[in-house]
Amino acid sequence: IQAPIGSLAHEYSLLLEVEERVQPDSSGFYPFPRSEALYAFSQGGLFMMTAGSESGMNLIDVANTYKNIMGNVPEMIAIYYTSRMLRHLESLHEDGKVLHCDVKPDNWVLTSSQARNAVGGCDLMLVDFGRAVDLEKVTRQGEDPLRTLFKGSIAAEDMECGTMREGLPWGVDLDYFGLCASAFILLFGSHMEVVRDKSTGNWRLNKILRRYWQKDLWQSLFHSLLNFDLGSERNCLRDLRVAFDEYIDEDRSREIATHLNQLFTHLPKKR
């Protein structure tokens, strides 16, 4: 039982709104939790929702498991899970009109899916909507909800997007930063740190991409999302998702499936 009940009621009602706006794909897969019940008692409340899996394993567990068996997450696994994150965040923003505000590696839970492009039935669910904002409820009529901006800091210091760090208004770029941090932990096995490039003024990673990685894909992802502002291409998530999906051809899908089988052989059954 949790008290006070306000945050539970907020998440319960917001997930109902998301479920109303975001349709499952043709296979029936839905990448967010579903609200099931909210109970209010004198001493607090109880919120019931669907779970991504019985294990509760997330992307941090993926990185840690690979550290134990071979050192690093294979790049193809990082590419695959990044493509799923791009797809699901695009759906949350474009269809759900919701800003998650707490996208991070441990909020991407491993789940199963029969979606057409889900390799080996492996997918991700984005959880923990306790800080999420329903953009339709805070946007003036006729304005684009995804251009809505906020002031102040609501994120942990190391998860603040560039505009938030500088005291400027922020919006979807907060979720974009969280997606970058989630991809980064798959690539490097550590939490992401960013710095301002003195020559360009752009935000960039404080680590260098390895020369044998698909640098065009990763550079495009990190540059576009870390430096997103109102002048950026509105559909950058979609464009990045298409680029990642196109890279995952039939042969690479088989390679990903092999790596996933290895991962789930070593991944603990429960946290």
Side-chain angles (χ1 to χ4, degrees):
I1 293 178
Q2 180 176 319
I5 196 174
S7 61
L8 297 181
H10 167 74
E11 188 167 3
Y12 172 79
S13 59
L14 187 138
L15 286 175
L16 289 177
E17 291 285 356
V18 173
E19 189 174 354
E20 208 170 273
R21 298 170 191 169
V22 178
Q23 298 302 309
D25 67 15
S26 57
S27 72
F29 178 70
Y30 182 72
F32 314 113
R34 298 178 190 268
S35 289
E36 295 195 328
L38 177 66
Y39 299 97
F41 308 103
S42 58
Q43 68 270 38
L46 186 65
F47 174 33
M48 297 176 63
M49 72 185 94
T50 56
S53 67
E54 291 185 5
S55 71
M57 293 293 169
N58 58 54
L59 292 184
I60 290 181
D61 298 304
V62 171
N64 289 337
T65 297
Y66 271 110
K67 277 183 182 178
N68 292 333
I69 61 176
M70 58 185 294
N72 296 305
V73 176
E75 188 194 12
M76 288 307 305
I77 291 292
I79 289 173
Y80 174 65
Y81 277 135
T82 299
S83 77
R84 305 314 290 168
M85 289 189 282
L86 287 165
R87 178 174 296 274
H88 302 332
L89 194 59
E90 178 188 4
S91 176
L92 182 66
H93 287 176
E94 294 292 340
D95 301 325
K97 301 296 188 289
V98 162
L99 195 61
H100 187 275
C101 297
D102 199 19
V103 177
K104 56 185 179 180
D106 39 332
N107 280 341
W108 289 106
V109 173
L110 307 187
T111 191
S112 58
S113 163
Q114 297 305 313
R116 179 181 56 83
N117 47 11
V119 177
C122 299
D123 216 316
L124 295 173
M125 175 183 282
L126 181 59
V127 303
D128 194 353
F129 282 72
R131 295 182 183 176
V133 177
D134 185 344
L135 295 173
E136 285 204 339
K137 293 184 177 179
V138 297
T139 304
R140 295 187 183 93
Q141 189 173 4
E143 294 185 356
D144 182 358
L146 298 184
R147 295 295 189 180
T148 301
L149 298 177
F150 303 89
K151 292 182 178 179
S153 176
I154 65 167
E157 186 175 349
D158 61 340
M159 292 301 291
E160 290 181 335
C161 57
T163 50
M164 189 180 286
R165 294 175 186 221
E166 296 181 330
L168 300 172
W170 52 269
V172 294
D173 49 327
L174 178 60
D175 282 1
Y176 293 173
F177 186 94
L179 192 153
C180 287
S182 303
F184 185 94
I185 203 166
L186 293 174
L187 285 172
F188 292 99
S190 60
H191 291 290
M192 182 177 74
E193 294 181 10
V194 297
V195 295
R196 272 277 200 195
D197 190 295
K198 293 181 179 179
S199 60
T200 65
N202 290 326
W203 290 98
R204 61 171 177 80
L205 303 179
N206 75 330
K207 287 195 174 183
I208 297 174
L209 297 171
R210 296 190 175 101
R211 58 179 177 78
Y212 50 85
W213 284 348
Q214 298 303 311
K215 294 180 74 172
D216 288 347
L217 275 181
W218 296 118
Q219 285 172 345
S220 180
L221 177 92
F222 290 116
H223 176 77
S224 299
L225 299 187
L226 291 178
N227 294 287
F228 185 88
D229 58 30
L230 288 182
S232 302
E233 169 56 52
R234 185 190 182 282
N235 296 316
C236 71
L237 266 192
R238 181 197 63 193
D239 295 342
L240 288 166
R241 187 256 305 164
V242 169
F244 273 74
D245 283 352
E246 288 180 347
Y247 181 78
I248 303 172
D249 57 19
E250 189 173 342
D251 289 339
R252 292 181 181 121
S253 291
R254 284 195 288 268
E255 181 183 347
I256 291 168
T258 299
H259 287 308
L260 288 170
N261 286 335
Q262 179 190 44
L263 168 64
F264 283 94
T265 298
H266 291 86
L267 198 67
K269 300 303 179 187
K270 286 192 176 182
R271 305 197 78 230

